[in-house]
Amino acid sequence: MTDGMHPDTSELRLAKVLAALGDEGRLTTVQALARLGESDCTRLQADAGLTMSRSTFSHHQKVLREAGILHARVQGSQRFLTLRRDDLNARFPGLLDAILATPA
């Protein structure tokens, strides 16, 4: 891992990415983040329409981050999330676009 939180592009594994996206809540999160660009966690959960607890949503973020799908940036007390689109496209060309084009 390059920074202890995010795997390096070369460390991304297809099975781990697909497993992370296999959960409906995580897929919905990724689709919402693709629309938003960058979002803080609270706004993302609301914009994605997810009614799960904050701790469950935090767990989903961790799974997506550890799979290499999300990048988290901490600013003060807020955590901002973005998709690692360039890294995913470099490792698995077209995969993210295909996933985002598929209805949840």
Side-chain angles (χ1 to χ4, degrees):
M1 296 193 152
T2 56
D3 64 6
M5 274 182 53
H6 305 93
D8 187 71
T9 303
S10 66
E11 296 173 330
L12 300 181
R13 299 290 176 252
L14 183 60
K16 194 165 185 175
V17 169
L18 292 176
L21 293 170
D23 178 88
E24 186 175 343
R26 290 192 290 264
L27 179 58
T28 300
T29 298
V30 169
Q31 290 171 329
L33 196 53
R35 288 189 310 271
L36 296 169
E38 181 179 64
S39 179
D40 68 81
C41 299
T42 303
R43 178 176 165 214
L44 177 59
Q45 185 174 2
D47 286 348
L50 298 172
T51 57
M52 62 188 65
S53 70
R54 292 188 98 169
S55 62
T56 299
F57 188 61
S58 291
H59 170 73
H60 286 312
Q61 291 172 49
K62 179 181 177 190
V63 170
L64 291 167
R65 182 179 42 76
E66 289 178 347
I69 299 166
L70 297 184
H71 181 268
R73 176 178 64 85
V74 177
Q75 183 175 330
S77 64
Q78 290 187 301
R79 181 178 294 248
F80 292 90
L81 303 172
T82 55
L83 288 180
R84 291 182 59 185
R85 185 180 295 272
D86 291 343
D87 293 334
L88 289 165
N89 284 334
R91 189 81 169 114
F92 312 111
L95 176 67
L96 186 59
D97 290 335
I99 289 167
L100 294 173
T102 303

